[in-house]
Amino acid sequence: QVQLVESGGGLVQAGGSLRLSCATSGRTFSDYVMGWFRRRPGKEREFVAFISRSGRTYYSDSVKGRFTISRDNAKNTVYLQMNSLKPEDTAIYYCAAGLSATTTGSYDYWGQGTQVTVSS
């Protein structure tokens, strides 16, 4: 089992920045691909970014160039730096851990989510 706890969400004005953190415990963090997903109001959950075991990253087109995913294996934590935030980034953000680098929701473990609200 892997436990994931997100933090860092909040209310920010458009154009601002937030950094989300996802602390993990349980199995070896470095064994897992880590992903971020979000669920915007009234929409399905969608892929945001993932980072592989080797540090390869991949982003959705909607966040590319604005968001940066990173991991610290010593701290068992994955981060999502979000810059130039837009009101349409308002969502609950979830981190996930899995064995495959994928943009689908097929990750094995999920956090409870953290709310990000971007005001215009």
Side-chain angles (χ1 to χ4, degrees), residues 29-50:
F29 175 74
S30 59
D31 287 347
Y32 290 90
V33 175
M34 299 301 299
W36 284 99
F37 290 76
R38 68 185 181 186
R39 188 187 301 275
R40 292 188 281 180
K43 296 188 179 287
E44 298 289 318
R45 185 180 61 194
E46 62 181 359
F47 167 78
V48 174
F50 73 64

Side-chain angles (χ1 to χ4, degrees), residues 3-116:
Q3 293 76 45
L4 301 94
V5 179
E6 302 96 335
S7 61
L11 174 64
V12 64
Q13 288 189 330
S17 298
L18 282 174
R19 187 175 83 153
L20 305 184
S21 299
C22 175
T24 73
S25 61
R27 295 190 176 179
T28 305
F29 175 74
S30 59
D31 287 347
Y32 290 90
V33 175
M34 299 301 299
W36 284 99
F37 290 76
R38 68 185 181 186
R39 188 187 301 275
R40 292 188 281 180
K43 296 188 179 287
E44 298 289 318
R45 185 180 61 194
E46 62 181 359
F47 167 78
V48 174
F50 73 64
I51 184 165
S52 72
R53 299 175 192 82
S54 63
R56 178 174 67 92
T57 59
Y58 187 80
Y59 301 91
S60 68
D61 287 343
S62 61
V63 307
K64 194 176 300 180
R66 299 188 298 122
F67 290 11
T68 302
I69 188 171
S70 61
R71 64 191 298 161
D72 185 336
N73 289 343
K75 294 183 178 180
N76 295 338
T77 301
V78 62
Y79 304 97
L80 186 68
Q81 177 67 43
M82 306 186 295
N83 298 329
S84 302
L85 282 161
K86 306 175 182 180
E88 52 264 42
D89 294 318
T90 294
I92 301 173
Y93 284 72
Y94 301 89
C95 70
L99 298 179
S100 299
T102 175
T103 63
T104 71
S106 55
Y107 285 71
D108 299 298
Y109 304 100
W110 293 83
Q112 293 299 305
T114 186
Q115 176 72 46
V116 171

